[in-house]
Amino acid sequence: MLTYTMRRLALAVPTLLLISLIVFLLLELAPGDPMAQMPLTIPPEVREQMRIALGLGEPWYVRYVAWLHMVFVVEPSHMLAAATGVDLAAEGSRLLSWQSRAPVAEIIAQRLPQTLWVVGLSYLFGILVAVPLGVASARRPHSWLDTIGTFIAMAGFSVPTFFTGVLLIVIFSVTLGWLPSMYDTTLEVTDWDSLRRQAAQLAMPVTVLALYNAAQISRYVRAATLDNLAQDYVRAVRARGMSERAVLYLHVLRNAMIPVVTVIALGVPNIFAGAIITEQIFRVNGIGELLISAIHANDIPMVQTLTFLFAVLIVLFNLLADILYGMLDPRIRYD
Amino acid sequence: MPDRGRPVLEVRGLEATLTGRSGARVQAVRGVDFAVASGECLGVVGESGSGKTVTLLALLGLLPETAHWSGEVRFEGRDLLALPDPVRRRARGAGLGVVFQEPLSALNPVFSIGYQMMEPMRAHLGLTRRAAAARAAELLELVGIPEPGARLGDFPHQFSGGQLQRITIAMALACDPRVLIADEPTTALDVTVQAQILALIRRLRAELGMAVIWVTHDLGVVATLADRVLVMYAGRVIEQATTAELLGDPQHPYTRGLLAAALAPRAPRPRRLRPIPGHPPAVAPARGCSFRPRCAEALAQCAAREPPRIVIGPRRDVACFWDPATGGARDG
């Protein structure tokens, strides 16, 4: 398993390099001018100077290698220095956002916690709802519980998050006034009161995303459970006189979790991407919001780095899914 | 010595109706009665769809929730179907050991065989993990798995088909069952392995003194293993006799047809096999004997009503109006 993991990690390096190159070239081809938001009073020759200062005068491969150098050498050494105080003194300037002139890594580090809170909690709640719901639905197919589960899944799956999000804002913020419609990043959790406020501002974005996640996962859980309940081994376990609870929550669930865990692991990067819209609605200034504003401003270093970050997540969670699959299913051995 | 007289498991008037996916109902078991005593081996024969497996599942309480069943299943004097669920589960799990047809699919692929063997021991016998593991290793030794202690942690896919069937037999023996119920356990195995399994069952039966119910469509297996045989057709028991009587003097035209369609192992010259014409009915006809459409000996009364079970000897009965001795109607 360890050699397999190592081999997969080594293979991930060329994959990620290729992805970063493709992203870079796509951004290179895309129309748009990083100077577009500058005041029109700036004379053209000054604009040209500013472009050259951003490195836009260099050919694309020089800029690509510079980006690689900054992302893989300069920024990690700065992060290490900030975290432990060990300064490797890596040469070269830091990767700056064109929009704010601040290091890209630091902006991402500021924005990441909000996204992790919203995305992480919604995924957690989604799974906590989906697994029991899916199992209960499969236990008695076409019962009232299964019908409700199917309805929730269909609604959660087919109604987009920007609709449910706005709907919740209209109900709970505008009409009832219970929950804030905007996310306040400056809020620090120090006591009970601030914890309650944090929970209140997380409630709606987390609910919207959790509903969406639960809708998908519960369908997988239901299908996998139904599939396993029809297997011969279930009858054999019952014949041995084991309780229905042991049959369902031990034997069947353990088997049903094999495909479900894979789906959950593969879905994590999607969730980050899916959170982009939800973050816009609830004004959560997380990664998704950062990406959107960077695209609007033609902030190419920021867009490039964020896109690359998503690519890293996808590759890593693919690997994680494969490793979990091997751990859950004894019939799969990678070595 | 096991008490051969009193039945340990007795089934009376067992009926089961299955509901298909489309909602169609099939009466799969229609009034089955039989009894099996300690140390006795009862063979249940019949072709596919004759209700053998449904009878077993019904008496074990393992029919799907959409099925309806009625009747009495007395195990050691208690009516299993009337007991509350947890009591019945325990009585069934500990007292009746079951071996299914396909050993690989009858085992959970993601749990080690040791865990699966120990689970009922810990639940029904209250053994500790350590004691259960020791007993599981003993049982594996008993059924002839080499290095049993080392293999408890292995998963089902790491064994061969024959080994797996031995393991499921060992699993069925886990809680010292009074009755071992086997549903075509050798069908999926090749002939040499089948012979090994049959020898194993014979040995275990002698050593442990349990009753065995062996469901099969193989008359050869019945001849080597069973003391007594039930022949099932279209959800009914149509003939019941000792193995010697059944093979030597079959009464029902269907049993006679089955024997004519089987190879005689020591016949001087291979004879031509005679198949029974036609197919078994999916649903029994509303009136008359369900075998009548395929029966060469059918009499006038066979179309009018279903023949009742006629007792023709000690523990011997047949559900047929025709008498092979006279070639005419029976007086019963």
Side-chain angles (χ1 to χ4, degrees), chain A residues 297-318:
Chain A
N298 274 308
D299 188 352
I300 287 177
M302 183 61 87
V303 176
Q304 163 87 12
T305 309
L306 282 175
T307 317
F308 182 68
L309 204 64
F310 287 135
V312 170
L313 282 177
I314 290 170
V315 169
L316 277 185
F317 278 96
N318 259 298

Side-chain angles (χ1 to χ4, degrees), chain A residues 7-326:
Chain A
R7 205 169 59 227
R8 280 289 301 269
L9 278 175
L11 272 173
V13 173
T15 312
L16 286 172
L17 279 178
L18 190 69
I19 291 173
S20 70
L21 180 63
I22 291 171
V23 171
F24 190 89
L25 291 178
L26 278 175
L27 288 174
E28 184 70 17
L29 286 172
D33 181 3
M35 297 293 113
Q37 288 188 328
M38 293 292 151
L40 286 169
T41 49
I42 297 174
E45 37 310 348
V46 181
R47 274 174 187 271
E48 203 48 47
Q49 286 292 318
M50 290 168 82
R51 272 206 193 87
I52 288 164
L54 289 176
L56 284 170
E58 304 289 336
W60 65 267
Y61 48 85
V62 174
R63 278 180 284 134
Y64 176 63
V65 173
W67 178 82
L68 283 181
H69 176 73
M70 288 190 272
V71 165
F72 288 106
V73 182
V74 182
E75 293 303 334
S77 81
H78 276 280
M79 269 186 259
L80 190 73
T84 61
V86 181
D87 196 354
L88 295 177
E91 300 273 317
S93 61
R94 300 194 64 177
L95 180 62
L96 296 183
S97 158
W98 289 351
Q99 199 181 1
S100 65
R101 303 290 189 272
V104 165
E106 276 169 24
I107 301 174
I108 293 176
Q110 283 169 7
R111 300 296 193 93
L112 202 56
Q114 288 84 277
T115 300
L116 285 180
W117 268 109
V118 173
V119 168
L121 279 179
S122 67
Y123 216 43
L124 188 72
F125 285 137
I127 293 167
L128 286 180
V129 169
V131 172
L133 186 68
V135 171
S137 297
R139 177 76 191 86
R140 299 195 183 281
H142 313 301
S143 64
W144 61 268
L145 189 70
D146 187 27
T147 311
I148 291 173
T150 307
F151 177 77
I152 291 175
M154 209 173 62
F157 205 67
S158 51
V159 179
T161 50
F162 58 76
F163 182 80
T164 37
V166 172
L167 191 71
L168 286 190
I169 289 178
V170 168
I171 296 173
F172 291 103
S173 302
V174 179
T175 311
L176 297 171
W178 290 352
L179 300 169
S181 70
M182 279 199 208
Y183 191 92
D184 177 11
T185 321
T186 56
L187 181 71
E188 276 183 45
V189 178
T190 48
D191 53 8
W192 271 114
D193 187 51
S194 57
L195 184 71
R196 217 184 55 239
R197 291 223 306 279
Q198 174 73 1
Q201 68 177 0
L202 275 171
M204 282 196 294
V206 166
T207 307
V208 166
L209 278 177
L211 180 70
Y212 184 70
N213 299 335
Q216 299 191 41
I217 298 166
S218 72
R219 292 288 93 182
Y220 282 106
V221 175
R222 180 182 184 270
T225 309
L226 265 183
D227 197 37
N228 272 287
L229 275 174
Q231 299 287 317
D232 284 349
Y233 75 80
V234 172
R235 202 173 58 184
V237 173
R238 287 194 180 128
R240 273 177 247 139
M242 303 315 297
S243 65
E244 226 16 56
R245 201 191 303 168
V247 169
L248 202 60
Y249 290 102
L250 207 70
H251 286 267
V252 168
L253 194 60
R254 178 70 175 67
N255 274 285
M257 277 334 255
I258 296 172
V260 172
V261 164
T262 312
V263 166
I264 289 175
L266 288 178
V268 172
N270 283 342
I271 292 308
F272 274 90
I276 293 173
I277 293 162
T278 316
E279 285 184 1
Q280 285 285 307
I281 297 167
F282 293 102
R283 295 273 153 242
V284 180
N285 56 348
I287 292 288
E289 206 270 340
L290 182 62
L291 180 64
I292 297 284
S293 65
I295 290 172
H296 282 314
N298 274 308
D299 188 352
I300 287 177
M302 183 61 87
V303 176
Q304 163 87 12
T305 309
L306 282 175
T307 317
F308 182 68
L309 204 64
F310 287 135
V312 170
L313 282 177
I314 290 170
V315 169
L316 277 185
F317 278 96
N318 259 298
L319 175 61
L320 185 72
D322 279 352
I323 292 171
L324 284 175
Y325 198 77

Side-chain angles (χ1 to χ4, degrees), chain B:
Chain B
M1 259 324 272
D3 175 14
R4 278 190 169 254
R6 225 187 36 214
V8 57
L9 183 72
E10 207 176 348
V11 172
R12 274 189 226 140
L14 191 69
E15 311 242 348
T17 305
L18 303 180
T19 310
R21 203 165 268 250
S22 55
R25 291 190 162 192
V26 180
Q27 236 199 325
V29 178
R30 304 181 294 140
V32 166
D33 313 75
F34 64 85
V36 57
S38 292
E40 186 185 35
C41 178
L42 178 71
V44 180
V45 252
E47 53 199 302
S48 308
S50 60
K52 299 169 302 200
T53 301
V54 180
T55 303
L56 287 194
L57 293 180
L59 82 87
L60 289 166
L62 292 177
L63 285 178
E65 283 170 15
T66 51
H68 295 275
W69 70 89
S70 61
E72 209 177 281
V73 177
R74 291 206 161 271
F75 174 63
E76 295 184 318
R78 288 193 293 182
D79 185 0
L80 278 187
L81 299 187
L83 289 175
D85 196 51
V87 185
R88 174 175 57 177
R89 242 185 332 101
R90 182 167 290 243
R92 180 222 301 161
L96 310 174
V98 191
V99 181
F100 289 101
Q101 183 171 351
E102 293 272 354
L104 185 59
S105 61
L107 290 165
N108 191 334
V110 300
F111 288 107
S112 69
I113 58 133
Y115 175 82
Q116 296 187 62
M117 289 185 77
M118 285 150 63
E119 195 181 33
M121 295 185 215
R122 297 178 66 189
H124 302 316
L125 306 180
L127 295 185
T128 60
R129 179 182 287 272
R130 181 177 297 225
R135 178 158 170 75
E138 265 170 45
L139 285 166
L140 286 185
E141 174 113 58
L142 184 73
V143 297
I145 301 289
E147 294 178 71
R151 301 219 63 182
L152 283 178
D154 284 356
F155 292 91
H157 69 277
Q158 290 165 297
F159 294 87
S160 72
Q163 282 180 322
L164 282 179
Q165 197 58 285
R166 288 158 187 274
I167 290 166
T168 56
I169 290 170
M171 211 174 270
L173 298 175
C175 300
D176 281 325
R178 303 290 316 279
V179 185
L180 181 72
I181 298 174
D183 185 10
E184 308 202 28
T186 55
T187 311
L189 305 176
D190 62 61
V191 188
T192 31
V193 180
Q194 177 174 333
Q196 290 170 6
I197 297 283
L198 291 181
L200 171 70
I201 292 293
R202 250 183 314 224
R203 179 164 66 84
L204 292 175
R205 204 182 116 206
E207 282 175 20
L208 308 174
M210 35 173 206
V212 176
I213 298 177
W214 195 273
V215 174
T216 180
H217 55 247
D218 188 338
L219 283 169
V221 170
V222 164
T224 57
L225 198 69
D227 303 317
R228 225 148 44 76
V229 186
L230 295 184
V231 183
M232 288 195 68
Y233 188 82
R236 289 188 75 202
V237 176
I238 53 149
E239 186 162 1
Q240 185 169 182
T242 64
T243 309
E245 281 170 341
L246 190 93
L247 297 177
D249 179 26
Q251 292 290 310
H252 198 284
Y254 176 67
T255 318
R256 298 167 75 89
L258 276 186
L259 289 169
L263 278 169
R266 274 178 279 277
R269 178 152 42 114
R271 59 180 172 79
R272 226 184 148 74
L273 299 180
R274 265 180 295 127
I276 304 175
H279 299 282
V283 182
R287 281 181 65 190
C289 173
S290 45
F291 188 59
R292 195 181 62 87
R294 302 170 74 188
C295 184
E297 322 290 352
L299 305 168
Q301 66 227 64
C302 297
R305 63 193 179 100
E306 184 137 48
R309 288 177 67 177
I310 303 164
V311 178
I312 55 170
R315 305 188 79 185
R316 169 116 217 237
D317 50 55
V318 60
C320 184
F321 293 122
W322 180 73
D323 187 349
T326 62
R330 220 179 265 284
D331 333 311

